[in-house]
Amino acid sequence: MNAGGRGVRVSMVGRVAPWARRHRWFLGVLALGTALRVVTMLGYRPALWFPDSYSYVVTAMRPKPDLVRPAGYSMFLRLFEPLHGFGFVTLAQHLLGLLTGVMIYLAVVRRRRPRWVGALASAPVLLDAYQIQLEHLLVSDSLFTFLIVAAVCLTLRPLTWRTALATGLLLAAATLTRTVALPLIAAFGILLLWFGSRAARAGNGTAGGTAGGAVDGGTGTGTGRASGRVRRGRMPWRVTGVFLAAALVPVAAYGGWFWAAHHRVGLIGANGVFLYARTMSFADCAVMRPPADLAVLCDDRPPARRPPSQEYIWDPDAPLVRLPGITFLRETDALAGRFAWLAIRSQPLDYVATTLDELARSFAWGRPVYPDAETYGYYEFPADTPDPPGRHPAIVGTRFAEQYERGPIGTRVVEPYAGVMRAYQSVAFLPGVLLLPVLLFPPLVAVARFAVRRLAPSKGTGAGSRRAQAWRAAWAVPWAVAGLLLLIPAATAEFDYRYVLPATPLACLAAALMVRPRSRR
């Protein structure tokens, strides 16, 4: 019996050791990322709080659609309420961060890119100190990042109705976590239809069995029955229909719940308010000539002397906040939306310029303080126990959080673990100035390769040539999604450092997929 047990152990070691050697670079990065998250949980117990955290907890404990944020993350919190500890929430968020890194690595190596490239692409989400700190905050971004990356990685798998269904459900969950994902549903639908149609025109399953337009590098084969359906030209419309149904039915159901609660169409009731705040970075009423009911929202100060956009939503002295009733009343939101669209129509060039200015902050050298010191400080590991909230909504949320925890809430800073993470955060993060070349790498390489093919066209027309074209297109989906995740907040709200982090792993994935595949041998 003992000899048999030793034989089993020797056999397992014989199998695991070669696998570990093959993936040693990624396993090292994953181990370090895991250790850093353990140190974080030991240093900051049980969680870090953000102003939004309290409203999420209120919705979790008193389920009702919020006017400012969808309830997806609140329902995520609700899953852990029976455990009565926010530490379980942060543990789950850290695990989601690790799984996100694993998905990035698997997506790269299944496409037969070098394993060290996969490890490098997964490093930002696994090792970036600000990513780890964001996972320890009670905010929706870690869950949102996981859902978006999972959806993108699924599109790199063989294109079937099952992958379309799963992708749609993931994007629906992401939309109900952060509404910035809603435009992505349309973008994904177009990409699925486009790549599927290319596969149908190619007339061969190896030409485009996935949304990335390529064969699954993990199998090295075609896509079997699914590819046959693509060949007949019917699959693109079917999978796109399945995807749209899976994505839009849950969103529509939530919209029905929102209507029942607030008698308003939509997923939230603050779109007009946030767009108004965004346009206040350039809106000039002397140019706009607003009617009397909109003129009350004007700010006579020149744009250069105005506060950050978010102050026009939360500052008690802001023109919109001074109006009677709460800021997010239907009438107030509609008034703010009308003002915002008038500003955009009247000053389109100023809107584009300020949007590009906000977008450029994603690629700044270092991390300049923005939009203000208070918000910036929430993304740093604190040296001392943070002060309790002072705003009334957060005070109300604190009472619900104490019910959730079944005791007092707060963050206990424990040394030396907390000091380790503070020191690590001062040096270990991906600067925006490095994110820019990562984002530019795929399209620049694609243009260069296109120019080379035009100058020296290949004579190959068989399956090998189609596969060569396929791996060149695989970067398009993650790159497009990364770009939209950076652009949409800059165009509709305001730049925030935590909005950059969900786009980073996708930009790294797109760059990794531009590397030439490993030889099958």
Side-chain angles (χ1 to χ4, degrees), residues 257-265 330:
W257 186 28
F258 187 85
W259 169 267
H262 301 290
H263 301 289
R264 297 168 66 175
V265 176
R330 175 165 45 186

Side-chain angles (χ1 to χ4, degrees), residues 296-369:
V296 297
L297 300 182
C298 292
D299 188 338
D300 295 332
R301 292 173 292 182
R305 295 179 53 193
R306 294 176 187 175
S309 294
Q310 65 176 7
E311 295 301 316
Y312 288 93
I313 303 174
W314 310 113
D315 188 346
D317 295 326
L320 187 68
V321 184
R322 290 200 304 263
L323 296 180
I326 64 173
T327 306
F328 304 106
L329 286 174
R330 175 165 45 186
E331 294 76 14
T332 306
D333 185 66
L335 188 73
R338 287 174 51 212
F339 184 98
W341 285 112
L342 177 61
I344 293 171
R345 292 195 306 271
S346 303
Q347 302 172 257
L349 297 181
D350 291 330
Y351 173 64
V352 172
T354 53
T355 297
L356 294 177
D357 183 63
E358 291 291 298
L359 180 63
R361 297 183 187 277
S362 304
F363 314 116
W365 181 272
R367 285 178 67 92
V369 176

